[in-house]
Amino acid sequence: MSLGLGELLLPMLARRRRARLRLGAHNALDFEKIAGPDRRILRVEASEGSQTPSVGATFKVGEQLGSIGSAPVVAPIPARVVDVTPVPFLTGGRAALAVTLERDAEIGSADKPGKPEKLPDDAPRAMMLERLDHLNVVTYGPEPEPLSNRLQADVATIIVNAADQEPLLASQAQLLVDRKRDIPAALELMKRMSGARRVILAVPAHLESVVKTRGANVLSVLGKYPETLNEMVARRAIATPHQKTKPERDAEGTSHKDVAGGASAPITVVTLEEALAAHTAIV
């Protein structure tokens, strides 16, 4: 069986990291903090009714200058807009603007919102979804959307995909290692927020041994593209023997049936990164 480059590199990088930690603080590398570039180009959606910045407008750090879909785009530096140019939208179908910002140190930063109060342990589902919207917890990808959109509709099963969907990336795999103590609570939170009866954690087969969960099924998937895509993971979950004999729906709403067939039962898929972001926002 051949292994992908990411599968070969991950164990090696983990060994190097452990070896570096054993060196001790006296041998640690010195890191120098450097300033980011003074010019940034951001993409925002250009559609009727959407917020579009104009040349000469100023933005503090954290102020919204536009959006992509329902996800806000904020200024990463205190800056003045020096150019706004129409560009093709990468995924087609919509117009976009390339907004060029130049740093202006006199502008400063936007006022930071106060830290929200901790939600009670038995907080109702609606309150938790409202907290996600308040903190702008969004999905990851070329067209972000509020994570609450995927969790509002009642579903029978929610799948948390811990496999990296792009070749040669290992960000999700690293989360399995670095935040494994938070994963059980994040899975339970996804179950409560979606109203699902069952939660499934999909992990690459070579990392299944590092996962310890409570109250969740663990689905082993082939850790290479395209088997790691949300849609493919959903199809694999439907086809596994432990699934109930009911057809379910993949991440795009397409209906599927297993060998036995049966009535319809919707499912939804979120990434491990999204589930842990929700856990951080709520807990």
Side-chain angles (χ1 to χ4, degrees):
M1 179 180 67
S2 61
L3 296 176
L5 180 58
E7 296 169 290
L8 292 172
L9 288 177
L10 188 61
M12 180 183 71
L13 292 175
R15 288 195 298 271
R16 290 179 61 184
R17 181 184 178 192
R18 289 194 296 268
R20 191 182 307 161
L21 292 175
R22 286 195 297 266
L23 290 176
H26 59 284
N27 285 331
L29 296 176
D30 292 328
F31 290 92
E32 179 183 355
K33 186 175 181 180
I34 61 174
D38 291 332
R39 173 173 284 217
R40 309 287 180 92
I41 300 177
L42 304 178
R43 185 190 67 175
V44 300
E45 188 173 335
S47 60
E48 185 177 352
S50 63
Q51 177 183 347
T52 54
S54 57
V55 174
T58 59
F59 294 92
K60 296 180 178 180
V61 175
E63 281 189 331
Q64 183 175 347
L65 56 89
S67 61
I68 298 178
S70 56
V73 177
V74 301
I77 56 175
R80 188 179 306 274
V81 178
V82 297
D83 185 67
V84 178
T85 303
V87 294
F89 206 86
L90 295 179
T91 53
R94 296 202 300 267
L97 297 174
V99 181
T100 303
L101 304 175
E102 280 195 353
R103 185 187 299 273
D104 189 331
E106 296 182 358
I107 295 176
S109 301
D111 295 332
K112 294 184 179 180
K115 185 177 181 180
E117 295 182 2
K118 185 180 184 301
L119 294 180
D121 294 338
D122 58 348
R125 178 182 172 193
M127 183 182 292
M128 292 189 291
L129 293 174
E130 184 180 357
R131 172 61 60 86
L132 293 188
D133 288 338
H134 176 69
L135 296 178
N136 282 327
V137 180
V138 299
T139 60
Y140 297 91
E143 297 185 38
E145 62 173 330
L147 181 59
S148 61
N149 288 357
R150 294 195 186 173
L151 302 174
Q152 285 176 350
D154 290 329
V155 295
T157 301
I158 183 166
I159 301 172
V160 177
N161 184 9
D164 288 286
Q165 298 185 62
E166 294 294 333
L168 305 183
L169 293 184
S171 59
Q172 299 270 44
Q174 194 63 45
L175 286 174
L176 277 174
V177 176
D178 291 346
R179 296 195 60 185
K180 60 183 178 181
R181 293 183 179 179
D182 294 330
I183 291 176
L187 296 177
E188 179 60 28
L189 185 64
M190 288 294 98
K191 187 176 181 180
R192 289 175 55 200
M193 297 181 72
S194 64
R197 297 189 298 272
R198 176 180 57 188
V199 59
I200 297 174
L201 177 64
V203 299
H206 65 286
L207 293 175
E208 189 174 358
S209 60
V210 306
V211 177
K212 296 184 184 297
T213 63
R214 298 188 302 268
N217 294 316
V218 176
L219 175 68
S220 177
V221 298
L222 185 64
K224 59 176 61 178
Y225 178 89
E227 296 298 323
T228 53
L229 294 175
N230 283 349
E231 295 83 357
M232 299 298 288
V233 169
R235 291 173 185 267
R236 182 174 180 83
I238 294 163
T240 52
H242 71 269
Q243 303 294 311
K244 295 181 179 179
T245 56
K246 293 182 179 180
E248 305 194 358
R249 298 179 183 273
D250 63 20
E252 296 182 346
T254 305
S255 181
H256 298 279
K257 294 184 178 181
D258 59 11
V259 177
S264 178
I267 69 173
T268 192
V269 183
V270 300
T271 66
L272 177 62
E273 192 170 4
E274 293 162 353
L276 288 170
H279 174 266
T280 300
I282 300 299
V283 178

